[in-house]
Amino acid sequence: MKPVVDRATLDDLDALAPLFDGYRQFYEQPSDIQRAHDWLKARIGQNESVVLLARHDGAPAGFVQLYPMYSSVRTARIWVLNDLFIAPEFRRHGTARALLDAATQFAKEDGAAFIMLETTRDNEAARALYRAAGWHEDSTQWYSKLL
């Protein structure tokens, strides 16, 4: 069955927090449901991000979190797909693709110039998914500096 994707609200925090905690654990952060809950509550509550939540038969299955950014060159808003996570039991059921498509549609309807994401070069499974969903790898190189 195809997942249902909706924009999350503060009423969805109890469903989202375990998924967000799982996402953080995937990136080797310690489990902290309260921290996940508080982070999402602040981002959604202050309109600092858009979270799209996928459900399978009503069960929370995965999410994407989008953050606004702006392009001076294009003088337009862009969206950064910063977080994507699918609960293990819902992987390989079309959930990630449904979320990517919903994120793209959201950005398009918002009038954004484009939507972007980044992943590591060694994440072959994710890169294959993104290419299959119509995303392309840019020739630019990101840099970062830990503070």
Side-chain angles (χ1 to χ4, degrees):
M1 179 176 207
K2 187 175 179 181
V4 174
V5 179
D6 292 305
R7 184 172 177 170
T9 68
L10 293 175
D11 292 335
D12 296 308
L13 289 176
D14 288 341
L16 274 172
L19 291 170
F20 191 70
D21 190 58
Y23 170 76
R24 293 185 69 248
Q25 288 178 60
F26 179 81
Y27 287 103
E28 301 177 4
Q29 299 300 306
S31 178
D32 189 336
I33 294 285
Q34 189 61 51
R35 184 175 188 161
H37 184 278
D38 293 347
W39 178 264
L40 291 166
K41 182 178 181 182
R43 301 296 73 75
I44 295 169
Q46 296 172 32
N47 291 316
E48 293 176 347
S49 74
V50 169
V51 178
L52 302 176
L53 174 62
R55 296 179 190 266
H56 279 273
D57 294 324
F63 75 95
V64 292
Q65 185 163 210
L66 307 166
Y67 289 98
M69 206 163 101
Y70 301 89
S71 170
S72 298
V73 172
R74 293 195 180 196
T75 60
R77 182 192 335 243
I78 61 176
W79 285 95
V80 177
L81 194 159
N82 200 71
D83 311 319
L84 168 63
F85 182 77
I86 310 302
E89 63 271 25
F90 294 106
R91 292 179 184 161
R92 300 266 186 227
H93 291 90
T95 309
R97 179 62 184 263
L99 284 164
L100 288 171
D101 291 347
T104 300
Q105 187 62 34
F106 169 81
K108 183 177 182 178
E109 289 174 1
D110 186 59
F114 59 92
I115 185 171
M116 60 187 280
L117 62 79
E118 73 173 310
T119 193
T120 58
R121 294 223 179 261
D122 65 352
N123 192 343
E124 291 298 327
R127 291 174 66 203
L129 168 68
Y130 303 145
R131 286 189 299 267
W135 294 64
H136 62 88
E137 294 181 357
D138 295 334
S139 60
T140 58
Q141 177 62 52
W142 285 71
Y143 294 86
S144 63
K145 185 174 184 178
L146 294 177
L147 304 175

